[in-house]
Amino acid sequence: QVQLVESGGRFVEVGEFLRLSCAASGFPFEHRAMSWIRQAPGRGIEWIATISSGGRDTNYASSVKGRFTISRDNSKNTLYLALNILKPEDTAVYYCTQSPSRQPSGPGTQVTVSS
């Protein structure tokens, strides 16, 4: 069955860097556009970024554009999200999804940025 398992989240200081990973299985990863979404405490789901199946095209939410970078390695069935210049408002649970879904299916990974 479809499995998406996120990892890499942790507690960080403002301005630090993190890289999140999403291990995918159970579907043809190399043929699917993928997205990252997040959910902050007490708030709804926020779409963060999308990458095309081949990795050539990317799109970002205005809240993270210029700070976050989505990428993928189709040979490893893995999706990545590099988070730079982290801010307290980036604190959230981060999920990967098969685009255009914005519903979490994996456990997510918690990112907490000190304020």
Side-chain angles (χ1 to χ4, degrees):
Q1 72 274 23
V2 172
Q3 281 199 320
L4 296 168
V5 181
E6 303 88 352
S7 63
R10 61 180 176 88
F11 180 91
V12 294
E13 302 289 336
V14 169
E16 281 195 48
F17 167 85
L18 269 182
R19 190 174 81 155
L20 307 182
S21 299
C22 168
S25 62
F27 66 98
F29 179 78
E30 69 275 18
H31 296 309
R32 300 287 168 84
M34 298 292 295
S35 294
W36 284 97
I37 60 175
R38 68 184 180 185
Q39 186 165 26
R43 304 189 68 177
I45 293 290
E46 178 187 12
W47 167 77
I48 296 301
T50 296
I51 187 168
S52 60
S53 58
R56 180 177 300 180
D57 298 313
T58 57
N59 285 293
Y60 297 91
S62 57
S63 58
V64 305
K65 194 170 186 178
R67 298 189 300 122
F68 290 9
T69 303
I70 188 171
S71 62
R72 65 193 296 161
D73 185 338
N74 285 347
S75 69
K76 297 180 179 179
N77 279 12
T78 303
L79 180 72
Y80 301 102
L81 185 69
L83 294 69
N84 285 291
I85 317 174
L86 281 160
K87 305 175 181 180
E89 51 264 43
D90 295 319
T91 294
V93 180
Y94 286 71
Y95 303 91
C96 59
T97 70
Q98 296 186 59
S99 187
S101 173
R102 297 189 181 187
Q103 292 298 317
S105 62
T109 188
Q110 175 73 51
V111 174
T112 303
V113 186
S114 67
S115 58

